[in-house]
Amino acid sequence: MGAIVAIVGRPNVGKSTFFNRLIQRREAIVDAVSGVTRDRHYGKSDWNGKEFSLIDTGGYVIGSDDIFEKEIDKQVELAIDEADAIIFMVDVESGVTGMDEDVAKLLRRVDKPVFLAINKVDNAQREADAVEFYALGLGDYYTISSINGSGSGELLDALVKVLPEAQEQDDELPRFAVVGRPNAGKSSFINALIGEDRYIVTDIAGTTRDSIDTKYNRFGFEFNLVDTAGIRRKAKVKEDLEFYSVMRSVRAIEHCDVCILLLDATRGFDGQVQNIFWLAQRNNKGIVILVNKWDLVEKETNSVRDYEKRIREVMEPFVDVPILFISVLNKQRIFKAIETAVEVYKNRSKKIVTRKLNDIMLPIIENRPPPAYKGKFVKIKFCTQLPTPYPQFAFFCNLPQYVREPYKRFLENKLRENFDFTGVPMTVFMRKK
């Protein structure tokens, strides 16, 4: 369970530049998938070997200044609720503005670590100008220049010192998170599973609700349900904002083994659901898609087959994911949904014996070797599964750098055809033998 760091501040102080600088080292490697639309506001970063998720709250606010103020307040409150630490960014060029004071007022009330970062400080004069930010009442500050990265080292050193240690999950039970956009029926689904009485929805103001885990033991299955704390119905936070659902989902997704992605059949596999899907995929979690409220869809115009095909087209290239049509209201196929999640969990932790892997994969590779590149022929000699929490395979060959993405995808498809990895992202590496 990684820590979450949120970057807050008014528009145009350089949050995104800083954010991109922190995640670029990782993102370039993680995102080898082509053509995936990604949420540009979420990424993973690490510093001195400590990994954390980074959320840039900027870029969501559109509209006039007074709307800005309200939106920024909302984002700061959400960051206060959801993040483990907060970087508050201001800009030395414009000095302390009313909006900065506003944000500072909210941040002074929190007991979470807040780091005041003063951006665009790239000479001695500006270093001197930065002193006025003491007026925000947040204590010491860090001067940085997110364009060239100067000063960010000191800030990150201090930041990773206060982040909570990643908790090792003590119990061996699978962890399932039910995610999806608001009103897709997540709570009703959980209630249908657990039985109404167990799930008393409380709203105590100001209690931090990290994912609430419910141990589930029925029908011969035992697992933990990670609730995405959809409980917090603050009037102030309008649930329909993209940003909030993504932020909520981040914590749940990082915390689980399998994501049960619930969507409303009448709304379809829309942008926000896709974002949550990519997020789960990028974190290499098992995924099960449940299409809820199927009973409300006009059957004449929609067959299950067509509907499923449309979803799979959007999911490409990772289409080996179970899609089930359910109705929480009529308790249809809810048990099947859990059964499927358990299967996906098993697939995710499946280990294939090296000899068997080679017996099956080497003849396939011999039949269709990687295409020659610049007159060079790639020979793959051996493959093995790496000892990681999710399936990763290494193929050893003479010229790994000449194996292109399409061929890796071909290998992945063959692995999927021969061994059941449904619902689980996998990575194929080429290594020098």
Side-chain angles (χ1 to χ4, degrees), residues 16 19-20 23 38-43 56 59-60 275 282:
S16 300
F19 171 79
N20 290 339
I23 64 169
R38 288 195 196 74
D39 194 352
R40 293 172 312 290
H41 307 282
Y42 163 82
D56 170 15
Y60 278 96
N275 263 337
R282 202 157 75 205

Side-chain angles (χ1 to χ4, degrees), residues 68-81:
F68 258 160
E69 308 240 344
K70 279 207 292 288
E71 284 298 316
I72 287 175
D73 285 359
K74 263 196 267 187
Q75 289 178 1
V76 172
E77 289 192 9
L78 189 83
I80 289 171
D81 278 344

